[in-house]
Amino acid sequence: MTMKRVLSGIQPTHDSFHLGNYLGAVKQWVELQHKHDAFYCVVDLHALTIETDPALLRKRSLASAAQLIALGVDPDKCTLFLQSHVSEHNQLGWIMECLAGFGEASRMTQFKDKSQKSGTDRTVVGLFTYPMLQAADILLYQADLVPVGEDQRQHIELTRDLAGRFNSRYGDTFQLPEAYILKAGAKINDLQDPTSKMSKSANSMQGVIEIMDTPEVNAKKIKSSMTDTGREVLFNEKEKPGISNLLTIHSALSGRSISELESEFAGKGYGDFKSTVADVVVDYLRPIRQRALELLEDESGLIAVLRQGAEKAQVVAEKTLASTYKNLGLVER
Ligand code: TYM
């Protein structure tokens, strides 16, 4: 039996990934790479939807690759590459744009949220066509599964719709992908505003745990996270969103169940609990940050790994693009 294909991507828009990126997505990338044919890319072209200083974009793309490897994405077990290294992504992206309806694209909530925040005049067209490039990322590799956080569900649904539409118009060309979203960790919330998701674009970074932050900074953020009413450590997202979020984080990192943690902290206050969560998070992230910093010291080594990844990815991407062009009726060269 052939192995199932997996594809996912992450944007290099910031100096560090946050705990939501890890628990919602990258942790699953690491698990899936062992029994699947996995392709993971740093989607640097998607990051161009936010204007960034060129030196910073370059630095962040490499830092993203280093963090992925430090978090356990193993270039010997999967194909790790930069999106811009495989030009087929742009080529299939255009085809997806010609397939998607304007209304359909206008309904993407991420586009609506982001464009509302910055206003029409400051919203680039690329933000609107972003999900079609994402569809191309996925379909080029004929992915069966796409491990992501809850906020990406709608984009994966759109990808399925586009693949199905193409197949029924032009003949079977694309595998229909499925979102792979785990219940625990699918949405990690901000520590200061625990009803909103932890996000790289939050107004304040006080509630965002960054992988590359120092242990001291992260411990402080957890200890000063928003306090819910009451005093018992119980999982109840409505009444205790802050504590529930910390329970989810502890459980995902320690591998212990939420009910086990509730019993452990029965009769103890929020203060004790927060200190323990701070220890769990900091102990988990310390060696990862260290490893990422080491990897970044050898930039050419890192680029070589990405180049190899791109070469492997391109073999698959070329094949899909060729059959797509053929099925569309574009004349062979
Ligand atoms: P990005 O870079 O915003 O986020 C990367 C991954 O992290 C997940 N995530 C979260 N999960 C749980 N809780 C949170 N608070 C949280 N915040 C972020 C996201 O769901 C995502 O899985 N459009 C994608 C990038 C992309 C992509 C793709 C993904 C481009 N092409 C192809 C999959 C397949 C994005 O913006 O992710």
Side-chain angles (χ1 to χ4, degrees), residues 216-235:
E216 294 73 32
V217 169
N218 278 335
K220 193 157 171 238
K221 283 182 181 174
I222 295 170
K223 288 182 189 159
S224 51
S225 62
M226 205 198 77
T227 298
D228 299 319
T229 51
R231 45 191 20 223
E232 280 159 88
V233 177
L234 291 173
F235 190 89

Side-chain angles (χ1 to χ4, degrees), residues 7-11 18 20-21 24-25 43 46 130 134 137-138 146 148-149 151-152 185-188 197-198 200:
L7 176 124
S8 199
I10 190 159
Q11 296 198 75
H18 58 67
N21 297 133
V43 290
H46 276 115
Y130 179 117
Q134 180 167 351
D137 298 339
I138 299 168
V146 187
V148 284
D151 62 352
Q152 296 299 313
K187 185 171 176 251
I188 298 297
K197 74 167 181 179
M198 191 176 279
K200 293 180 224 183

Side-chain angles (χ1 to χ4, degrees), residues 5 22 71 81 103 113 123 129 132 148 191 208 230 295 326 330:
R5 277 278 167 74
Y22 177 58
L71 286 164
F81 63 104
D113 291 349
T123 299
T129 57
M132 281 60 87
V148 284
L191 301 184
V208 180
L295 286 161
K326 180 164 179 275
L330 296 168

